[in-house]
């Protein structure tokens, strides 16, 4: 937001476009809360390119962990961003959310007897399948950097825990903030313990040299190791040199072999960890 | 006038203490309206039914109607509802602006990066769980699952019963499959998909028949 203040270029989006954006979304959104995000993502990211994919992911994380209705928060963020001004953005959100509230209020004044319940039921059963498809599509985005940021077992552990928490803890106790606080607490404790563990059992990192010299594979144990290391692009000869420096039995029992662009890691055998620790 | 102050302050505080959105706000609004402002129970029930049935931001609609109910039918209720609306909406706006500032500052913090990585499976889980719950609510309208103060139950739906119940069970999975295929293959604006789907559902469920 600071950068956008510095260069006072003309906002690309007009005030009423932003207002219309909010009116449109508020009128077609059924399901409430997080169910509105797929529609916001489809309109603001895919159609108008106002915000990026990474931003919408951040917005979902932030609005779920701060108090207040998450929809209003997401909409005010987008309006501030596209109108390039805090006041304009907040006023646009304020005005844009009024029409659907006024529709609701006029129905309230008419009384529930005049409510076309059966038509609203049909609209609901038509809108929700679209939202379900888009929700699944949106959640797939979080699986992209799998095994880079979090290892598979950790990711799916937290994922299954999160699904179970939302489905099996009775409402209203299954609110996201409890889940988020719990996972952060576990995650940070785990991280502290892990750094401690790695101080005791350091990983061996060997840089890959640029010049490769010839060597023959004769030892059958080497072949096994080569298969295990999954070194797709590493030069086999260099790997053999590395294995020569270490005791074979040691490699097999104590270390898990990982290959990366920088070199080969002999990671102490202890499964699921965040990989960036290895780079420290 | 005291009821107006209670309504405005109540809406302001409600926005502060409740996380997330949607149905979570119901018990809090019930305390504010029925227990503190002594609003007629029928009015509360119809406000609840209507905000559930209409699209949009659930809590915002209830906050708006709170201002009207605070006047007990007097003329200034029409002004008071804008006051409670403002009191309710101002909180998330300010909090969001502050949260973005804090978030942008902390982005390079070591622990913030870990938290960010941890949040990915959690949010994915929240979204998948939500879609499962939504799927149950449309595909099996007679089943209540993890709704507010009603963990599980079976009750006949006033509209989706008899042939419409079977139509819903058949319609929803086919519809989801078609939408999935359409969004994968063509880039159609989602608004058009929703509108087309509403027309299709109208033909299938025939709401004009009793």
């Amino acid at each position: 937001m600071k950068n956008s203040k510095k260069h006072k270029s003309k906002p690309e989006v007009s005030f009423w476009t932003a207002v219309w954006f909010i009116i449109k979304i508020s009128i077609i959104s059924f399901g409430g809360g997080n169910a509105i995000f797929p529609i916001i993502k489809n309109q603001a990211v895919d159609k108008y390119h106002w915000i990026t994919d990474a931003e919408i992911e951040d917005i979902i994380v932030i609005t779920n962990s701060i108090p207040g209705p998450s929809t209003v928060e997401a909409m005010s963020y987008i309006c501030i961003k596209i109108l390039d001004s805090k006041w304009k953005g907040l006023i646009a959100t304020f005005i844009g959310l009024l029409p659907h509230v006024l529709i609701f209020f006029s129905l309230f004044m008419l009384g529930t007897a005049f409510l076309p319940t059966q038509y609203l039921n049909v609209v609901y059963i038509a809108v929700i399948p679209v939202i379900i498809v888009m929700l699944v599509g949106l959640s797939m985005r979080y699986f992209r950097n799998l095994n880079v940021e979090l290892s598979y077992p950790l990711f799916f552990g937290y994922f299954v825990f999160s699904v179970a928490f939302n489905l099996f803890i009775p409402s209203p106790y299954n609110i996201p903030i409890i889940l988020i606080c719990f996972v952060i607490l576990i995650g940070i404790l785990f991280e502290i313990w892990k750094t401690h563990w790695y101080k005791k059992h350091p990983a061996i990192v060997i840089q890959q040299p640029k010049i490769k010299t010839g060597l023959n594979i004769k030892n059958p144990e080497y072949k096994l190791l080569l298969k295990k290391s999954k070194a797709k692009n590493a030069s086999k000869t260099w790997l053999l040199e590395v294995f020569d420096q270490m005791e074979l039995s040691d490699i097999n029992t104590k270390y898990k072999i990982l290959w990366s662009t920088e070199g080969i890691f002999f990671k102490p055998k202890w499964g699921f960890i965040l990989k960036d620790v290895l780079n420290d | 006038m005291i009821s107006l102050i209670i309504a405005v302050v109540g809406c302001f505080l409600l926005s502060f203490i409740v996380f997330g959105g949607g149905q979570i706000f119901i018990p809090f609004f019930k305390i504010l309206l029925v227990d503190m402002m002594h609003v007629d129970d029928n009015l509360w029930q119809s406000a609840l039914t209507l905000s559930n049935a209409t699209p949009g931001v659930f809590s915002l609609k209830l906050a708006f109607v709170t201002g009207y109910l605070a006047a007990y039918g007097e003329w200034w209720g029409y002004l008071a509802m804008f006051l409670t609306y403002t009191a309710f909406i101002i909180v998330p706006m300010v909090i969001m602006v502050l949260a973005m500032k804090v978030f942008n500052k902390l982005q390079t913090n070591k622990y913030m990066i870990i938290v960010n990585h941890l949040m990915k499976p959690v949010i994915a889980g929240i979204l998948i769980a939500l879609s499962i719950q939504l799927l149950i609510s449309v595909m099996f309208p007679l089943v209540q699952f993890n709704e507010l103060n009603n963990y599980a139950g079976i009750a006949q739906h006033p509209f989706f019963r008899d042939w419409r119940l079977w139509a819903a069970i058949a319609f929803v999975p086919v519809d989801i499959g078609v939408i999935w295929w359409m969004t994968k293959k063509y880039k159609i604006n989602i608004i058009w998909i929703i509108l087309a789907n509403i027309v299709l559902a109208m033909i299938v469920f025939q709401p004009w028949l009793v």
Side-chain angles (χ1 to χ4, degrees):
Chain A
M1 262 179 257
K2 270 184 185 171
N3 288 330
S4 56
K5 260 191 177 177
K6 274 175 191 168
H7 49 87
K8 280 188 176 173
S9 59
K10 263 191 182 178
E12 291 161 30
V13 184
S14 80
F15 182 78
W16 294 108
T17 317
V19 172
W20 173 237
F21 165 74
I22 289 177
I23 293 174
K24 205 165 52 179
I25 286 176
S26 64
I27 284 179
I28 56 169
S29 60
F30 279 84
N34 284 323
I36 291 176
F37 284 114
I39 296 176
I40 292 181
K41 193 239 166 196
N42 177 273
Q43 295 290 304
V45 180
D46 300 342
K47 195 182 169 201
Y48 297 114
H49 306 287
W50 286 337
I51 55 171
T52 60
D53 278 326
E55 265 177 305
I56 194 89
E57 283 169 24
D58 287 344
I59 289 173
I60 299 175
V61 173
I62 292 167
T63 54
N64 271 296
S65 37
I66 58 176
S70 51
T71 327
V72 181
E73 284 154 359
M75 284 171 174
S76 52
Y77 173 83
I78 292 167
C79 280
I80 289 170
K81 174 90 195 282
I82 60 178
L83 294 174
D84 210 359
S85 141
K86 255 177 221 165
W87 285 110
K88 268 190 186 172
L90 295 185
I91 292 166
T93 318
F94 185 90
I95 296 171
L97 284 169
L98 263 177
H100 87 275
V101 173
L102 288 172
I103 293 170
F104 153 76
F105 187 70
S106 42
L107 284 170
F108 178 75
M109 292 307 283
L110 283 170
T112 36
F114 288 90
L115 188 71
T117 323
Q118 63 271 44
Y119 285 89
L120 283 170
N121 276 325
V122 174
V123 172
Y124 182 81
I125 209 173
V127 174
I128 294 298
V130 184
I131 288 178
I132 290 171
V133 169
M134 292 169 77
L135 268 176
V136 174
L138 188 59
S139 59
M140 284 307 142
R141 300 196 51 79
Y142 292 90
F143 289 83
R144 270 173 320 166
N145 277 340
L146 213 62
N147 215 20
V148 177
E149 289 168 352
L150 279 179
S151 60
Y152 290 110
L154 259 191
F155 188 96
F156 285 103
Y158 285 126
F159 174 73
V160 170
F161 178 72
S162 171
V163 173
F165 180 90
N166 280 287
L167 289 182
F168 301 128
I169 303 289
S171 173
Y173 304 104
N174 61 354
I175 51 172
I177 185 68
I178 297 174
L179 174 70
I180 288 173
C181 285
F182 187 76
V183 169
I184 288 177
L185 186 73
I186 298 282
I188 298 281
L189 283 178
F190 182 68
E191 190 68 16
I192 292 166
W193 178 71
K194 205 177 61 193
T195 0
H196 190 74
W197 196 86
Y198 269 110
K199 267 180 193 156
K200 272 186 182 171
H201 313 270
I204 301 166
V205 182
I206 299 160
Q207 295 288 320
Q208 184 173 8
K210 277 180 185 153
I211 309 151
K212 296 141 197 171
T213 47
L215 249 173
N216 290 319
I217 305 167
K218 276 170 190 168
N219 192 334
E221 276 182 90
Y222 282 159
K223 280 186 184 171
L224 190 77
L225 272 170
L226 278 173
K227 263 189 189 171
K228 272 191 179 176
S229 70
K230 287 177 191 168
K232 285 167 202 158
N233 307 316
S235 94
K236 279 180 183 173
T237 50
W238 169 74
L239 274 174
L240 289 176
E241 280 173 23
V242 173
F243 294 147
D244 256 356
Q245 289 164 21
M246 307 180 75
E247 279 187 37
L248 275 172
S249 59
D250 236 36
I251 300 171
N252 263 326
T253 52
K254 287 183 188 164
Y255 295 99
K256 193 178 163 188
I257 303 158
L258 291 170
W259 186 84
S260 92
T261 42
E262 295 111 56
I264 184 161
F265 296 128
F266 292 93
K267 194 168 83 171
K269 253 193 191 167
W270 187 79
F272 19 91
I273 45 129
L274 280 170
K275 283 189 181 163
D276 53 9
V277 173
L278 290 168
N279 302 329
D280 289 349
Chain B
M1 269 300 166
I2 293 170
S3 64
L4 177 66
I5 297 165
I6 293 175
V8 172
V9 175
C11 281
F12 187 76
L13 289 178
L14 265 188
S15 210
F16 254 114
I17 54 174
V18 181
F19 286 78
Q23 313 284 318
I24 302 160
F25 285 90
I26 294 175
F28 295 94
F29 271 107
K30 198 182 177 193
I31 292 169
L32 177 67
L33 282 165
V34 180
D35 299 343
M36 288 172 76
M37 283 161 57
H38 306 289
V39 169
D40 186 48
D41 204 51
N42 286 332
L43 276 175
W44 156 248
Q45 282 300 333
S46 64
L48 188 63
T49 319
L50 264 169
S51 44
N52 255 328
T54 50
V57 189
F58 179 82
S59 47
L60 209 53
K61 289 181 283 192
L62 279 181
F64 191 77
V65 87
T66 301
Y68 173 76
L69 293 173
Y72 302 107
E74 283 183 55
W75 63 271
W76 50 269
Y78 295 99
L79 299 175
M81 58 195 191
F82 287 96
L83 213 61
T84 47
Y85 175 82
T86 314
F88 189 83
I89 205 172
I90 208 93
V91 176
M93 286 175 165
V94 173
I95 289 177
M96 188 65 194
V97 171
L98 294 178
M100 285 317 293
K101 260 187 190 163
V102 173
F103 183 78
N104 285 339
K105 253 185 204 165
L106 285 180
Q107 255 180 347
T108 46
N109 183 296
K110 189 198 165 194
Y111 284 97
M112 197 60 197
I113 292 167
I114 297 166
V115 168
N116 236 331
H117 292 173
L118 285 173
M119 279 305 102
K120 288 195 172 175
V122 172
I123 296 293
I126 289 174
L127 297 179
I128 291 290
L130 178 64
S131 53
I132 292 172
Q133 268 181 291
L134 287 174
L135 181 69
I136 293 173
S137 81
V138 287
M139 197 169 157
F140 306 104
L142 77 169
V143 177
Q144 279 105 47
F145 177 65
N146 213 355
E147 284 170 13
L148 199 74
N149 301 324
N150 179 14
Y151 184 71
I154 287 183
Q156 201 180 48
H157 194 280
F159 180 72
F160 293 107
R161 56 170 207 266
D162 304 334
W163 67 272
R164 283 202 186 95
L165 175 64
W166 298 108
I169 293 172
F171 172 78
V172 172
V174 174
D175 195 37
I176 286 176
V178 171
I179 295 164
W180 182 271
W181 176 76
M182 293 252 285
T183 46
K184 276 270 155 331
K185 193 145 194 201
Y186 309 103
K187 267 208 163 183
I188 314 169
N189 190 347
I190 206 70
I191 311 272
W192 295 118
I193 295 183
I194 289 175
L195 288 177
N197 214 28
I198 289 172
V199 174
L200 186 69
M202 287 286 173
I203 296 165
V204 172
F205 293 102
Q206 318 240 344
W208 45 85
L209 296 177
V210 181

mmCIF file with all atom_site columns, all heavy atoms in Angstrom, chain B residues 92-107:
data_model
loop_
_atom_site.group_PDB
_atom_site.id
_atom_site.type_symbol
_atom_site.label_atom_id
_atom_site.label_alt_id
_atom_site.label_comp_id
_atom_site.label_asym_id
_atom_site.label_entity_id
_atom_site.label_seq_id
_atom_site.pdbx_PDB_ins_code
_atom_site.Cartn_x
_atom_site.Cartn_y
_atom_site.Cartn_z
_atom_site.occupancy
_atom_site.B_iso_or_equiv
_atom_site.pdbx_formal_charge
_atom_site.auth_seq_id
_atom_site.auth_comp_id
_atom_site.auth_asym_id
_atom_site.auth_atom_id
_atom_site.pdbx_PDB_model_num
ATOM 1   N N   . PRO B 1 92  ? -14.847 -4.372  10.760 1.00 0.00 ? 92  PRO B N   1
ATOM 2   C CA  . PRO B 1 92  ? -14.041 -5.200  9.861  1.00 0.00 ? 92  PRO B CA  1
ATOM 3   C C   . PRO B 1 92  ? -13.175 -4.397  8.902  1.00 0.00 ? 92  PRO B C   1
ATOM 4   O O   . PRO B 1 92  ? -12.066 -4.816  8.551  1.00 0.00 ? 92  PRO B O   1
ATOM 5   C CB  . PRO B 1 92  ? -15.078 -6.017  9.091  1.00 0.00 ? 92  PRO B CB  1
ATOM 6   C CG  . PRO B 1 92  ? -16.371 -5.345  9.316  1.00 0.00 ? 92  PRO B CG  1
ATOM 7   C CD  . PRO B 1 92  ? -16.275 -4.689  10.649 1.00 0.00 ? 92  PRO B CD  1
ATOM 8   N N   . MET B 1 93  ? -13.682 -3.220  8.484  1.00 0.00 ? 93  MET B N   1
ATOM 9   C CA  . MET B 1 93  ? -12.897 -2.394  7.558  1.00 0.00 ? 93  MET B CA  1
ATOM 10  C C   . MET B 1 93  ? -11.600 -1.928  8.203  1.00 0.00 ? 93  MET B C   1
ATOM 11  O O   . MET B 1 93  ? -10.513 -2.082  7.637  1.00 0.00 ? 93  MET B O   1
ATOM 12  C CB  . MET B 1 93  ? -13.718 -1.175  7.135  1.00 0.00 ? 93  MET B CB  1
ATOM 13  C CG  . MET B 1 93  ? -14.815 -1.492  6.163  1.00 0.00 ? 93  MET B CG  1
ATOM 14  S SD  . MET B 1 93  ? -15.773 -0.020  5.861  1.00 0.00 ? 93  MET B SD  1
ATOM 15  C CE  . MET B 1 93  ? -16.650 -0.501  4.409  1.00 0.00 ? 93  MET B CE  1
ATOM 16  N N   . VAL B 1 94  ? -11.731 -1.363  9.430  1.00 0.00 ? 94  VAL B N   1
ATOM 17  C CA  . VAL B 1 94  ? -10.544 -0.854  10.121 1.00 0.00 ? 94  VAL B CA  1
ATOM 18  C C   . VAL B 1 94  ? -9.592  -2.002  10.450 1.00 0.00 ? 94  VAL B C   1
ATOM 19  O O   . VAL B 1 94  ? -8.381  -1.907  10.227 1.00 0.00 ? 94  VAL B O   1
ATOM 20  C CB  . VAL B 1 94  ? -10.960 -0.088  11.403 1.00 0.00 ? 94  VAL B CB  1
ATOM 21  C CG1 . VAL B 1 94  ? -9.737  0.287   12.216 1.00 0.00 ? 94  VAL B CG1 1
ATOM 22  C CG2 . VAL B 1 94  ? -11.751 1.147   11.029 1.00 0.00 ? 94  VAL B CG2 1
ATOM 23  N N   . ILE B 1 95  ? -10.158 -3.110  10.927 1.00 0.00 ? 95  ILE B N   1
ATOM 24  C CA  . ILE B 1 95  ? -9.321  -4.260  11.289 1.00 0.00 ? 95  ILE B CA  1
ATOM 25  C C   . ILE B 1 95  ? -8.566  -4.771  10.069 1.00 0.00 ? 95  ILE B C   1
ATOM 26  O O   . ILE B 1 95  ? -7.378  -5.107  10.146 1.00 0.00 ? 95  ILE B O   1
ATOM 27  C CB  . ILE B 1 95  ? -10.177 -5.380  11.918 1.00 0.00 ? 95  ILE B CB  1
ATOM 28  C CG1 . ILE B 1 95  ? -10.638 -4.952  13.306 1.00 0.00 ? 95  ILE B CG1 1
ATOM 29  C CG2 . ILE B 1 95  ? -9.397  -6.680  12.015 1.00 0.00 ? 95  ILE B CG2 1
ATOM 30  C CD1 . ILE B 1 95  ? -11.550 -5.939  13.980 1.00 0.00 ? 95  ILE B CD1 1
ATOM 31  N N   . MET B 1 96  ? -9.245  -4.799  8.918  1.00 0.00 ? 96  MET B N   1
ATOM 32  C CA  . MET B 1 96  ? -8.596  -5.308  7.706  1.00 0.00 ? 96  MET B CA  1
ATOM 33  C C   . MET B 1 96  ? -7.431  -4.409  7.295  1.00 0.00 ? 96  MET B C   1
ATOM 34  O O   . MET B 1 96  ? -6.361  -4.901  6.936  1.00 0.00 ? 96  MET B O   1
ATOM 35  C CB  . MET B 1 96  ? -9.632  -5.381  6.567  1.00 0.00 ? 96  MET B CB  1
ATOM 36  C CG  . MET B 1 96  ? -9.113  -6.068  5.338  1.00 0.00 ? 96  MET B CG  1
ATOM 37  S SD  . MET B 1 96  ? -8.767  -7.807  5.664  1.00 0.00 ? 96  MET B SD  1
ATOM 38  C CE  . MET B 1 96  ? -7.816  -8.241  4.241  1.00 0.00 ? 96  MET B CE  1
ATOM 39  N N   . VAL B 1 97  ? -7.639  -3.081  7.360  1.00 0.00 ? 97  VAL B N   1
ATOM 40  C CA  . VAL B 1 97  ? -6.571  -2.149  6.995  1.00 0.00 ? 97  VAL B CA  1
ATOM 41  C C   . VAL B 1 97  ? -5.368  -2.360  7.914  1.00 0.00 ? 97  VAL B C   1
ATOM 42  O O   . VAL B 1 97  ? -4.220  -2.455  7.448  1.00 0.00 ? 97  VAL B O   1
ATOM 43  C CB  . VAL B 1 97  ? -7.075  -0.688  7.066  1.00 0.00 ? 97  VAL B CB  1
ATOM 44  C CG1 . VAL B 1 97  ? -5.921  0.280   6.913  1.00 0.00 ? 97  VAL B CG1 1
ATOM 45  C CG2 . VAL B 1 97  ? -8.118  -0.438  5.989  1.00 0.00 ? 97  VAL B CG2 1
ATOM 46  N N   . LEU B 1 98  ? -5.629  -2.479  9.219  1.00 0.00 ? 98  LEU B N   1
ATOM 47  C CA  . LEU B 1 98  ? -4.539  -2.692  10.181 1.00 0.00 ? 98  LEU B CA  1
ATOM 48  C C   . LEU B 1 98  ? -3.861  -4.035  9.948  1.00 0.00 ? 98  LEU B C   1
ATOM 49  O O   . LEU B 1 98  ? -2.632  -4.145  9.961  1.00 0.00 ? 98  LEU B O   1
ATOM 50  C CB  . LEU B 1 98  ? -5.081  -2.618  11.611 1.00 0.00 ? 98  LEU B CB  1
ATOM 51  C CG  . LEU B 1 98  ? -5.613  -1.260  12.059 1.00 0.00 ? 98  LEU B CG  1
ATOM 52  C CD1 . LEU B 1 98  ? -6.169  -1.355  13.468 1.00 0.00 ? 98  LEU B CD1 1
ATOM 53  C CD2 . LEU B 1 98  ? -4.530  -0.194  11.992 1.00 0.00 ? 98  LEU B CD2 1
ATOM 54  N N   . ALA B 1 99  ? -4.681  -5.075  9.707  1.00 0.00 ? 99  ALA B N   1
ATOM 55  C CA  . ALA B 1 99  ? -4.124  -6.425  9.528  1.00 0.00 ? 99  ALA B CA  1
ATOM 56  C C   . ALA B 1 99  ? -3.206  -6.482  8.307  1.00 0.00 ? 99  ALA B C   1
ATOM 57  O O   . ALA B 1 99  ? -2.157  -7.129  8.347  1.00 0.00 ? 99  ALA B O   1
ATOM 58  C CB  . ALA B 1 99  ? -5.253  -7.440  9.393  1.00 0.00 ? 99  ALA B CB  1
ATOM 59  N N   . MET B 1 100 ? -3.591  -5.800  7.231  1.00 0.00 ? 100 MET B N   1
ATOM 60  C CA  . MET B 1 100 ? -2.753  -5.807  6.032  1.00 0.00 ? 100 MET B CA  1
ATOM 61  C C   . MET B 1 100 ? -1.420  -5.114  6.299  1.00 0.00 ? 100 MET B C   1
ATOM 62  O O   . MET B 1 100 ? -0.380  -5.547  5.810  1.00 0.00 ? 100 MET B O   1
ATOM 63  C CB  . MET B 1 100 ? -3.462  -5.112  4.863  1.00 0.00 ? 100 MET B CB  1
ATOM 64  C CG  . MET B 1 100 ? -4.555  -5.913  4.220  1.00 0.00 ? 100 MET B CG  1
ATOM 65  S SD  . MET B 1 100 ? -4.217  -7.656  3.929  1.00 0.00 ? 100 MET B SD  1
ATOM 66  C CE  . MET B 1 100 ? -2.928  -7.577  2.700  1.00 0.00 ? 100 MET B CE  1
ATOM 67  N N   . LYS B 1 101 ? -1.464  -4.031  7.094  1.00 0.00 ? 101 LYS B N   1
ATOM 68  C CA  . LYS B 1 101 ? -0.229  -3.332  7.440  1.00 0.00 ? 101 LYS B CA  1
ATOM 69  C C   . LYS B 1 101 ? 0.707   -4.258  8.209  1.00 0.00 ? 101 LYS B C   1
ATOM 70  O O   . LYS B 1 101 ? 1.885   -4.378  7.885  1.00 0.00 ? 101 LYS B O   1
ATOM 71  C CB  . LYS B 1 101 ? -0.554  -2.099  8.306  1.00 0.00 ? 101 LYS B CB  1
ATOM 72  C CG  . LYS B 1 101 ? -0.552  -0.818  7.506  1.00 0.00 ? 101 LYS B CG  1
ATOM 73  C CD  . LYS B 1 101 ? -0.702  0.360   8.441  1.00 0.00 ? 101 LYS B CD  1
ATOM 74  C CE  . LYS B 1 101 ? -0.955  1.611   7.632  1.00 0.00 ? 101 LYS B CE  1
ATOM 75  N NZ  . LYS B 1 101 ? -1.491  2.693   8.464  1.00 0.00 ? 101 LYS B NZ  1
ATOM 76  N N   . VAL B 1 102 ? 0.150   -4.901  9.243  1.00 0.00 ? 102 VAL B N   1
ATOM 77  C CA  . VAL B 1 102 ? 0.954   -5.808  10.071 1.00 0.00 ? 102 VAL B CA  1
ATOM 78  C C   . VAL B 1 102 ? 1.488   -6.954  9.220  1.00 0.00 ? 102 VAL B C   1
ATOM 79  O O   . VAL B 1 102 ? 2.657   -7.320  9.288  1.00 0.00 ? 102 VAL B O   1
ATOM 80  C CB  . VAL B 1 102 ? 0.107   -6.352  11.246 1.00 0.00 ? 102 VAL B CB  1
ATOM 81  C CG1 . VAL B 1 102 ? 0.866   -7.418  12.016 1.00 0.00 ? 102 VAL B CG1 1
ATOM 82  C CG2 . VAL B 1 102 ? -0.298  -5.219  12.159 1.00 0.00 ? 102 VAL B CG2 1
ATOM 83  N N   . PHE B 1 103 ? 0.610   -7.510  8.375  1.00 0.00 ? 103 PHE B N   1
ATOM 84  C CA  . PHE B 1 103 ? 0.978   -8.649  7.537  1.00 0.00 ? 103 PHE B CA  1
ATOM 85  C C   . PHE B 1 103 ? 2.116   -8.291  6.582  1.00 0.00 ? 103 PHE B C   1
ATOM 86  O O   . PHE B 1 103 ? 3.070   -9.041  6.430  1.00 0.00 ? 103 PHE B O   1
ATOM 87  C CB  . PHE B 1 103 ? -0.249  -9.113  6.743  1.00 0.00 ? 103 PHE B CB  1
ATOM 88  C CG  . PHE B 1 103 ? 0.000   -10.328 5.903  1.00 0.00 ? 103 PHE B CG  1
ATOM 89  C CD1 . PHE B 1 103 ? 0.025   -11.583 6.487  1.00 0.00 ? 103 PHE B CD1 1
ATOM 90  C CD2 . PHE B 1 103 ? 0.206   -10.215 4.542  1.00 0.00 ? 103 PHE B CD2 1
ATOM 91  C CE1 . PHE B 1 103 ? 0.260   -12.698 5.720  1.00 0.00 ? 103 PHE B CE1 1
ATOM 92  C CE2 . PHE B 1 103 ? 0.435   -11.332 3.768  1.00 0.00 ? 103 PHE B CE2 1
ATOM 93  C CZ  . PHE B 1 103 ? 0.464   -12.579 4.363  1.00 0.00 ? 103 PHE B CZ  1
ATOM 94  N N   . ASN B 1 104 ? 2.023   -7.107  5.951  1.00 0.00 ? 104 ASN B N   1
ATOM 95  C CA  . ASN B 1 104 ? 3.071   -6.695  5.024  1.00 0.00 ? 104 ASN B CA  1
ATOM 96  C C   . ASN B 1 104 ? 4.408   -6.489  5.725  1.00 0.00 ? 104 ASN B C   1
ATOM 97  O O   . ASN B 1 104 ? 5.463   -6.741  5.160  1.00 0.00 ? 104 ASN B O   1
ATOM 98  C CB  . ASN B 1 104 ? 2.660   -5.404  4.307  1.00 0.00 ? 104 ASN B CB  1
ATOM 99  C CG  . ASN B 1 104 ? 1.601   -5.686  3.250  1.00 0.00 ? 104 ASN B CG  1
ATOM 100 O OD1 . ASN B 1 104 ? 1.469   -6.808  2.795  1.00 0.00 ? 104 ASN B OD1 1
ATOM 101 N ND2 . ASN B 1 104 ? 0.841   -4.670  2.899  1.00 0.00 ? 104 ASN B ND2 1
ATOM 102 N N   . LYS B 1 105 ? 4.347   -5.994  6.976  1.00 0.00 ? 105 LYS B N   1
ATOM 103 C CA  . LYS B 1 105 ? 5.586   -5.781  7.732  1.00 0.00 ? 105 LYS B CA  1
ATOM 104 C C   . LYS B 1 105 ? 6.231   -7.104  8.113  1.00 0.00 ? 105 LYS B C   1
ATOM 105 O O   . LYS B 1 105 ? 7.440   -7.239  8.103  1.00 0.00 ? 105 LYS B O   1
ATOM 106 C CB  . LYS B 1 105 ? 5.257   -4.986  9.010  1.00 0.00 ? 105 LYS B CB  1
ATOM 107 C CG  . LYS B 1 105 ? 5.730   -3.547  8.933  1.00 0.00 ? 105 LYS B CG  1
ATOM 108 C CD  . LYS B 1 105 ? 5.498   -2.862  10.258 1.00 0.00 ? 105 LYS B CD  1
ATOM 109 C CE  . LYS B 1 105 ? 5.404   -1.371  10.039 1.00 0.00 ? 105 LYS B CE  1
ATOM 110 N NZ  . LYS B 1 105 ? 4.824   -0.694  11.214 1.00 0.00 ? 105 LYS B NZ  1
ATOM 111 N N   . LEU B 1 106 ? 5.403   -8.070  8.470  1.00 0.00 ? 106 LEU B N   1
ATOM 112 C CA  . LEU B 1 106 ? 5.921   -9.329  9.006  1.00 0.00 ? 106 LEU B CA  1
ATOM 113 C C   . LEU B 1 106 ? 6.309   -10.337 7.931  1.00 0.00 ? 106 LEU B C   1
ATOM 114 O O   . LEU B 1 106 ? 6.767   -11.421 8.253  1.00 0.00 ? 106 LEU B O   1
ATOM 115 C CB  . LEU B 1 106 ? 4.870   -9.967  9.927  1.00 0.00 ? 106 LEU B CB  1
ATOM 116 C CG  . LEU B 1 106 ? 4.691   -9.335  11.305 1.00 0.00 ? 106 LEU B CG  1
ATOM 117 C CD1 . LEU B 1 106 ? 3.623   -10.089 12.070 1.00 0.00 ? 106 LEU B CD1 1
ATOM 118 C CD2 . LEU B 1 106 ? 5.986   -9.344  12.097 1.00 0.00 ? 106 LEU B CD2 1
ATOM 119 N N   . GLN B 1 107 ? 6.107   -9.986  6.658  1.00 0.00 ? 107 GLN B N   1
ATOM 120 C CA  . GLN B 1 107 ? 6.246   -10.989 5.611  1.00 0.00 ? 107 GLN B CA  1
ATOM 121 C C   . GLN B 1 107 ? 7.620   -11.647 5.546  1.00 0.00 ? 107 GLN B C   1
ATOM 122 O O   . GLN B 1 107 ? 7.738   -12.782 5.096  1.00 0.00 ? 107 GLN B O   1
ATOM 123 C CB  . GLN B 1 107 ? 5.892   -10.398 4.255  1.00 0.00 ? 107 GLN B CB  1
ATOM 124 C CG  . GLN B 1 107 ? 4.536   -10.881 3.812  1.00 0.00 ? 107 GLN B CG  1
ATOM 125 C CD  . GLN B 1 107 ? 4.124   -10.341 2.485  1.00 0.00 ? 107 GLN B CD  1
ATOM 126 O OE1 . GLN B 1 107 ? 4.718   -9.415  1.961  1.00 0.00 ? 107 GLN B OE1 1
ATOM 127 N NE2 . GLN B 1 107 ? 3.087   -10.912 1.930  1.00 0.00 ? 107 GLN B NE2 1
#
